[in-house]
Amino acid sequence: MSKKALITGITGMDGSHLADFLLKKGYKVYGMIRRSSNINLDNLENIKENITFVNGDMTDQNSLFRCLKDTNPDEIYNLASQSFVGESWNTPEQTSNVTALGVLRILESIREFNPKIKFYQASSSEMFGRMVENPANEKTPFYPRSPYGVSKLYGHWITINYRESYNLFACSGILFNHESERRGIEFVTRKITDGVARIHLGLNKNISLGNIDARRDWGYAPDYVEAMWKILQNDKPTDYVIATGKDYSVKDFLKIAFEVVGISDWNKHVLIDQKFYRPAEVDVLRGDYSKANKELGWEPKTSLEEMIKKMVKSDIKKIKSKL
Ligand code: NAP
Ligand code: GDD
């Protein structure tokens, strides 16, 4: 019989790539969606017929319990979150409710309904924040720098605590930044590839950005969802850093993205706007994925250049189709 997986955050970037991946593995996939005036299933366009949707919200304990009861999954991938770091200063309470307490609510539901369910928590490199060790590994102390990072840290520790308290198969993947053609438009990578596509098509002249000296360890989301799955297929529940081990600046990203459309003087098209600066910045993130490599046989497959090319080309295609 095929395994059953419940994905929270299925409409997002990772949720949709994970659904693709699990369907190909023969899973029965359930996706939790929340009530909204305009549910957006764009990322699931090609696979939505193969997914069973259930209604729930990370801020509503009973709805989560019902999702478990109605689906009785073998595995839960908790990807739902208010995931935009910049927004977390505007809505710190809502961010904490979804991103921190939401994890507790699912763990409580698992404990009550079926403690045999395996649980994956989407932890984040934002927990390392002002990195005290570079590259960061699973033992590096945390130093979050945003309400989002603090909320993720709660989700991370409550997952460990429920594993140790109740013997749950509950694990965190500490994923460094990863991107794809489905990345939300507000994140810097997609903002750049969309902007480059518009400049290339003659629709815009510039892209307005904040701190372009920030450095990130950027991987490709389809490679990273494989790691999530591998973490739950392991024989022991534990946590893993998932990263590429290389960091680049936003400036490096800009240079590569503009080169895809043959523009070498990228700085002529970039405006710096203070409104995109953050109250507290994470200057650099870089991860050491050697534990995942050794124990899970996982490694990143897609280079930064390949990924940026895919994203720029996809944005050009998307924009052209709407002209
Ligand atoms: P994303 O595209 O922003 O997707 C977030 C998902 O969460 C969406 O499906 C959203 O649903 C859902 N959601 C938000 N609030 C909810 C609520 N109250 N109840 C139920 N669902 C809710 O994020 P992503 O980039 O795919 O990331 C997936 C997860 O990994 C997130 O937890 C993120 O924090 C974490 N993470 C991401 C990265 C990265 O670089 N991408 C790195 C480390 C960790 P709607 O469509 O209804 O808004
Ligand atoms: N979004 C955005 N917009 N970021 C900008 C801009 C801009 O106009 N200009 C410069 N940046 C800088 C930010 O200040 C930050 O240092 C860096 O670009 C990356 O910003 P984001 O793409 O918004 O990602 P993030 O690193 O803050 O957070 C992402 O990665 C985390 C893992 O480290 C999100 O996916 C989080 O959900 C995830 O946990």
Side-chain angles (χ1 to χ4, degrees), residues 2-290:
S2 58
K3 275 200 205 170
K4 294 188 284 181
L6 171 64
I7 303 175
T8 73
I10 194 157
T11 56
M13 175 180 73
D14 285 3
S16 64
H17 286 300
L18 181 65
D20 282 341
F21 179 87
L22 294 178
L23 285 169
K24 282 191 193 123
K25 287 260 170 223
Y27 275 68
K28 165 97 183 129
V29 174
Y30 294 94
M32 189 182 90
I33 51 171
R34 59 177 167 157
R35 148 83 194 141
S36 119
S37 52
N38 190 8
I39 291 172
N40 184 347
L41 298 181
D42 285 0
N43 285 338
L44 302 166
E45 201 43 50
N46 300 325
I47 53 169
K48 62 182 180 210
E49 311 304 333
N50 303 322
I51 296 166
T52 305
F53 293 102
V54 285
N55 288 88
D57 193 298
M58 295 302 288
T59 60
D60 188 305
Q61 175 77 67
N62 288 340
S63 74
L64 295 175
F65 188 84
R66 272 194 301 277
C67 282
L68 264 66
K69 202 157 86 44
D70 292 349
T71 60
N72 191 19
D74 300 288
E75 297 169 5
I76 296 179
Y77 295 86
N78 180 36
L79 310 185
S81 148
Q82 190 303 93
S83 77
F84 186 34
V85 173
E87 170 62 14
S88 75
W89 278 279
N90 291 329
T91 55
E93 195 179 326
Q94 194 259 359
T95 299
S96 308
N97 198 357
V98 177
T99 304
L101 289 179
V103 187
L104 173 68
R105 293 184 186 107
I106 299 203
L107 288 165
E108 272 293 291
S109 303
I110 292 177
R111 188 164 80 87
E112 287 289 320
F113 175 67
N114 177 4
K116 290 207 160 46
I117 297 173
K118 292 183 174 183
F119 177 73
Y120 172 88
Q121 166 59 12
S123 285
S124 164
S125 50
E126 267 287 310
M127 301 186 309
F128 295 121
R130 182 181 275 175
M131 288 179 74
V132 298
E133 184 180 19
N134 184 351
N137 62 46
E138 293 78 3
K139 296 196 172 115
T140 301
F142 299 113
Y143 192 147
R145 295 270 288 164
S146 62
Y148 168 84
V150 173
S151 302
K152 279 288 176 191
L153 197 49
Y154 176 88
H156 186 71
W157 278 114
I158 201 69
T159 300
I160 294 172
N161 179 258
Y162 270 52
R163 175 167 81 216
E164 293 177 354
S165 304
Y166 304 115
N167 205 21
L168 300 185
F169 197 107
C171 317
S172 283
I174 309 174
L175 271 53
F176 281 63
N177 296 51
H178 48 280
E179 319 293 316
S180 85
E181 300 88 325
R182 299 179 193 168
R183 185 55 140 156
I185 202 85
E186 67 275 36
F187 297 92
V188 77
T189 56
R190 182 75 198 293
K191 187 171 169 184
I192 292 172
T193 60
D194 175 75
V196 166
R198 286 174 196 280
I199 291 166
H200 171 67
L201 294 170
L203 300 170
N204 276 358
K205 287 203 163 50
N206 303 308
I207 310 174
S208 291
L209 295 168
N211 175 19
I212 59 175
D213 290 314
R215 303 184 72 86
R216 289 291 182 273
D217 177 333
W218 279 298
Y220 189 45
D223 294 349
Y224 284 36
V225 298
E226 184 189 12
M228 297 176 186
W229 175 76
K230 283 187 172 231
I231 289 172
L232 289 198
Q233 311 318 305
N234 201 3
D235 48 14
K236 60 174 192 288
T238 178
D239 310 318
Y240 292 94
V241 161
I242 302 297
T244 71
K246 295 179 195 145
D247 64 290
Y248 295 87
S249 67
V250 176
K251 281 181 183 162
D252 296 329
F253 195 104
L254 280 161
K255 181 172 181 293
I256 301 168
F258 273 101
E259 271 168 6
V260 175
V261 296
I263 297 175
S264 52
D265 50 355
W266 62 267
N267 34 357
K268 287 195 181 144
H269 297 281
V270 173
L271 304 175
I272 300 301
D273 187 331
Q274 289 301 319
K275 84 171 176 227
F276 297 115
Y277 275 73
R278 294 173 178 179
E281 178 61 290
V282 168
D283 297 321
V284 58
L285 288 176
R286 185 163 70 99
D288 169 1
Y289 68 91
S290 50

Side-chain angles (χ1 to χ4, degrees), residues 197-198 201 203 315-323:
R198 286 174 196 280
L201 294 170
L203 300 170
D315 277 320
I316 293 174
K317 201 167 153 199
K318 273 186 203 162
I319 296 164
K320 269 188 172 166
S321 73
K322 289 184 191 142
L323 287 178

